[in-house]
Amino acid sequence: MPRYNAPFEIHVHGQVALRADVVFEQIQDALKPLWKYAGARSLADAASSSYEDEPGIKFDPQEHLLQMCWTVAGDDDFRQVLDEVCMNLNELAQAGAAIEVTFYDAEFDDEDEESEAESRDDFVMLFVGPDPAAIMQVQRDLLVQDVINMMERHFDGAELGGVVAEIDKLFGQRFDDLVSSLQLGKPPRGSGGGGHGGGGHGGGRKPRHLH
């Protein structure tokens, strides 16, 4: 059922590369927790976002991509939905990918902000992939990009090779632990970053669109 008095507007944003053999029916099944939460009877029924300027949920069969820029009204129970969706997408993903989810406090307005009241906005970064190694690769790439973006305010990019090497060491140790326990192959290091990371809501409210 539609949630008319929901405390949050929840924006889901991300792009997931899928295996070449994945078909629409598998995506519909994987995303069932999302469209059921929205009160829809199918993915097609729920694919449009609450906002007309957002593309919603789209599957590109030629590029084998699932693209999400979709807002739904909801509550904190949506977090459980996200856990289910991520587990389902792990089964379909070709590579690691990040999914950004922002909870906007629907009851917070400009007057509250002027009175220095705090909103309940929250930001969550989730990761999916065919195996833990692929997921950690995405996490590593996003962290490297965030650190370089921050440090380039003070240092030339050419000076930051040592910082990246230290980050790789940290992830390398984590991969070593995984390899020893699960016999996983290590992903390549230094494959470059994509997308952007984040955490918390910090000072001021984030704009509704994250792109």
Side-chain angles (χ1 to χ4, degrees):
M1 296 293 292
R3 292 165 169 76
Y4 296 108
N5 297 313
F8 295 104
E9 286 185 344
I10 305 168
H11 183 68
V12 181
H13 191 90
Q15 179 173 284
V16 182
L18 305 172
R19 298 193 319 269
D21 62 320
V22 171
V23 296
F24 177 80
E25 287 73 19
Q26 290 173 285
I27 298 170
Q28 175 165 260
D29 189 53
L31 298 183
K32 186 174 182 178
L34 281 186
W35 52 263
K36 290 281 285 185
Y37 190 88
R41 297 183 178 181
S42 67
L43 176 57
D45 189 29
S48 296
S49 176
S50 299
Y51 292 92
E52 293 182 357
D53 60 333
E54 295 176 353
I57 302 174
K58 293 188 175 183
F59 169 51
D60 185 333
Q62 279 72 42
E63 298 295 329
H64 311 296
L65 286 176
L66 170 64
Q67 298 173 312
M68 295 177 287
C69 181
W70 181 78
T71 298
V72 66
D75 207 334
D76 275 319
D77 58 352
F78 189 74
R79 298 175 192 271
Q80 181 178 348
V81 169
L82 291 171
D83 289 340
E84 296 176 26
V85 167
C86 285
M87 287 189 292
N88 294 343
L89 288 177
N90 286 342
E91 302 295 323
L92 306 181
Q94 175 66 34
I99 298 174
E100 303 164 334
V101 183
T102 309
F103 290 75
Y104 295 96
D105 188 345
E107 299 172 356
F108 188 85
D109 56 32
D110 292 339
E111 292 184 2
D112 293 327
E113 192 165 10
E114 292 173 0
S115 67
E116 298 185 354
E118 290 191 7
S119 74
R120 294 173 298 163
D121 290 0
D122 194 16
F123 176 72
V124 181
M125 180 74 83
L126 304 171
F127 299 89
V128 299
D131 53 52
I135 291 173
M136 283 191 181
Q137 180 71 69
V138 175
Q139 293 172 328
R140 175 264 176 206
D141 292 345
L142 288 174
L143 177 58
V144 166
Q145 184 179 40
D146 284 347
V147 170
I148 289 178
N149 288 343
M150 179 181 65
M151 295 192 70
E152 278 184 336
R153 302 171 191 169
H154 309 282
F155 300 93
D156 186 88
E159 300 177 84
L160 301 178
V163 175
V164 174
E166 290 301 316
I167 293 174
D168 279 337
K169 286 181 183 178
L170 292 173
F171 276 96
Q173 181 58 54
R174 186 170 292 180
F175 281 127
D176 287 341
D177 294 340
L178 273 174
V179 170
S180 62
S181 62
L182 302 175
Q183 295 302 308
L184 292 173
K186 289 188 180 182
R189 295 179 181 175
S191 64
H196 51 282
H201 51 268
R205 304 192 78 190
K206 289 181 179 290
R208 181 166 58 84
H209 287 152
L210 300 177
H211 53 93

